[in-house]
Amino acid sequence: METAIALADSEGLAACNMRRIAQGLDVEAMSLYNHVANKDALLDGMAELVLATIPLPPEPAERWQDELRALAVAYRQMLYAHPALLPLLATRPINMTAIPAILARVLEALARVGLSDMQQRHAANALAGMVLGLALQYIGAPHVAIPPEQPPPTPTAPTARYIHTMPPQAQADDDFAFGLDTFITGLERMQVRAMAD
């Protein structure tokens, strides 16, 4: 799996076929099937392994807010380290029989908010989706740019103006911070309401 991930990092996910991986290992392609059943199993294994490389803080933070921030930042660091794997992580289901360490930490932090099991699941999915979605927007998918010859949008078309002035990748940090702040603020309000009930 390490060889497949390295190949994806250097040449893109499309390069990850059995023949190329076998070349990297200096073995016959057919011998790989002794370790993975098929291409789907290979992709699943790559997703599980790369999730296991997330640089988690060694100890949970005292405040759940700080813990969620640290985990979101760690997840984002891994995504930026492996941009070719973003489509894979966005489309492959997580093997819940072997919950990634980061998910366990996220759920533990959300439990400290006072959320129900179902609310913890919703919140964990929302946080992961925000981080992964922004990474896809900025490094995993090309922006849609308006051709230079097209006249600038008029003031009556605010959405067209936004697309025309789509922020550069440098604004990714600001968007991430805003999304994370909004997410945590929402959880704090839920916590206050739960304590008042």
Side-chain angles (χ1 to χ4, degrees), residues 5-169:
I5 291 173
L7 182 61
D9 287 340
S10 61
E11 300 185 33
L13 191 59
C16 290
N17 57 58
M18 294 299 195
R19 180 181 61 81
R20 291 298 310 281
I21 295 169
Q23 287 177 350
L25 294 170
D26 196 25
V27 298
E28 294 294 330
M30 290 304 296
S31 67
L32 295 180
Y33 291 99
N34 295 323
H35 305 280
V36 291
N38 50 42
K39 180 70 175 289
D40 282 340
L42 172 68
L43 295 176
D44 288 341
M46 291 171 65
E48 290 176 22
L49 181 59
V50 80
L51 285 172
T53 68
I54 295 173
L56 297 178
E59 297 294 335
E62 182 176 345
R63 300 173 67 247
W64 63 261
Q65 295 94 329
D66 296 333
E67 173 75 347
L68 289 178
R69 287 184 189 281
L71 295 174
V73 168
Y75 183 35
R76 185 172 185 251
Q77 288 175 346
M78 182 277 290
L79 295 175
Y80 272 67
H82 303 282
L85 296 182
L86 293 182
L88 178 67
L89 294 169
T91 57
R92 308 298 294 188
I94 296 176
N95 178 9
M96 297 305 291
T97 62
I99 297 178
I102 188 170
L103 179 55
R105 289 275 293 269
V106 167
L107 293 175
E108 290 170 3
L110 292 171
R112 289 155 60 186
V113 181
L115 301 182
S116 68
D117 290 347
M118 185 59 69
Q119 288 173 328
Q120 291 175 37
R121 177 181 174 183
H122 291 324
N125 286 337
L127 180 59
M130 186 272 291
V131 178
L132 179 56
L134 284 174
L136 279 166
Q137 178 181 345
Y138 282 102
I139 63 173
H143 287 311
V144 178
I146 294 178
E149 65 274 10
Q150 183 171 334
T154 64
T156 58
T159 55
R161 180 175 182 274
Y162 172 78
I163 296 174
H164 183 73
T165 59
M166 186 169 286
Q169 187 165 328

